[in-house]
Amino acid sequence: MTRDAGALGAMFEALSATEADRVTALYAPLAGAVRELIEATIRTEAHDDVVAQARTAIEAVTESLRQRTRPAGVSYRVGDRPLPLGNAAVGVCNPIAPPVEVHHEGGGRCWTEFVLGCAYEGPPSLVHGGVSALVLDHMLGEAASEGLSKPRFTGTITVKYLRGTPLGPLRSEAWIERREGVKVFARGFIADSKGITVEADGVFIEPSWARDGQ
């Protein structure tokens, strides 16, 4: 294990591959069900009695899930790879996450195809600009950190909105443009079926505790 990987790994609680599969298989479908609930809550025009019954049922389920909880901020890893549970972009247990499933091609390039529903709306039928920035910050970070295997964190990010991003299926790509010492420069975009809607470039910094000789 490299010094960088060891430093990053120390930030996460280790799980075996078997336990990671169990956690994902158990909790990811729950997050997916809640994600559908969020969509239904936004769009429902159900009658008063149906809404009241649903609220009572949801409150009861919420209370049952709170009977046993992990501490806030707990993160896991499998080998040298993080297993994000609560991450706002990719967390497998987070119903707020789209989620974004990132695929790495090597050489500091990655891509994802994902769907943003009405929970991510800004202007009517369009993605909120802050959500686009969230996705791009994560994607550029995935590229800059070489798949979250090296501790490189956002220093600055600039987002350029070319046109409105429609809700629905989207694609994002990111890549490393160059490296300068402890800085990694990354670029990326979000696109719909008609082309790029949002671009971003960012500078990612390797923290002092992860540098050789520190």
Side-chain angles (χ1 to χ4, degrees):
M1 181 180 294
T2 65
R3 180 182 179 86
D4 282 354
L8 186 60
M11 301 170 61
F12 299 90
E13 179 180 329
L15 288 182
S16 67
T18 299
E19 181 63 10
D21 288 344
R22 186 195 72 81
V23 168
T24 300
L26 179 62
Y27 296 114
L30 173 62
V34 177
R35 195 173 292 117
E36 292 185 14
L37 174 61
I38 291 170
E39 180 93 5
T41 300
I42 293 170
R43 301 186 63 178
T44 187
E45 290 186 336
H47 295 300
D48 293 7
D49 58 338
V50 173
V51 172
Q53 291 170 10
R55 177 181 171 182
T56 298
I58 292 167
E59 289 173 346
V61 169
T62 300
E63 189 59 31
S64 70
L65 292 175
R66 283 178 174 158
Q67 292 179 14
R68 182 180 178 184
T69 59
R70 66 177 64 88
V74 169
S75 296
Y76 298 97
R77 63 181 172 86
V78 182
D80 291 341
R81 283 283 300 170
L83 176 64
L85 301 185
N87 184 284
V90 298
V92 296
C93 293
N94 188 349
I96 296 174
V100 172
E101 182 179 350
V102 184
H103 304 273
H104 289 270
E105 297 182 341
R109 295 191 69 94
C110 60
W111 62 273
T112 182
E113 292 180 345
F114 58 103
V115 176
L116 293 180
C118 60
Y120 307 97
E121 187 177 65
S125 78
L126 298 177
V127 176
H128 192 291
V131 174
S132 297
L134 166 70
V135 171
L136 284 167
D137 183 33
H138 186 86
M139 288 297 292
L140 269 62
E142 286 263 1
S145 66
E146 300 176 45
L148 304 182
S149 67
K150 298 181 182 296
R152 293 168 181 163
F153 303 116
T154 309
T156 61
I157 185 167
T158 301
V159 181
K160 183 178 181 181
Y161 300 90
L162 305 181
R163 59 183 172 88
T165 301
L167 296 172
L170 299 166
R171 180 181 176 91
S172 180
E173 298 183 20
W175 59 91
I176 292 176
E177 192 169 57
R178 68 184 191 278
R179 299 175 175 86
E180 293 180 6
V182 300
K183 296 180 180 180
V184 176
F185 296 78
R187 294 182 61 84
F189 64 81
I190 294 173
D192 64 0
S193 61
K194 297 179 180 179
I196 296 173
T197 62
V198 190
E199 298 176 333
D201 58 82
V203 182
F204 294 78
I205 312 295
E206 186 176 280
S208 60
W209 51 261
R211 300 171 195 168
D212 290 338
Q214 295 293 321

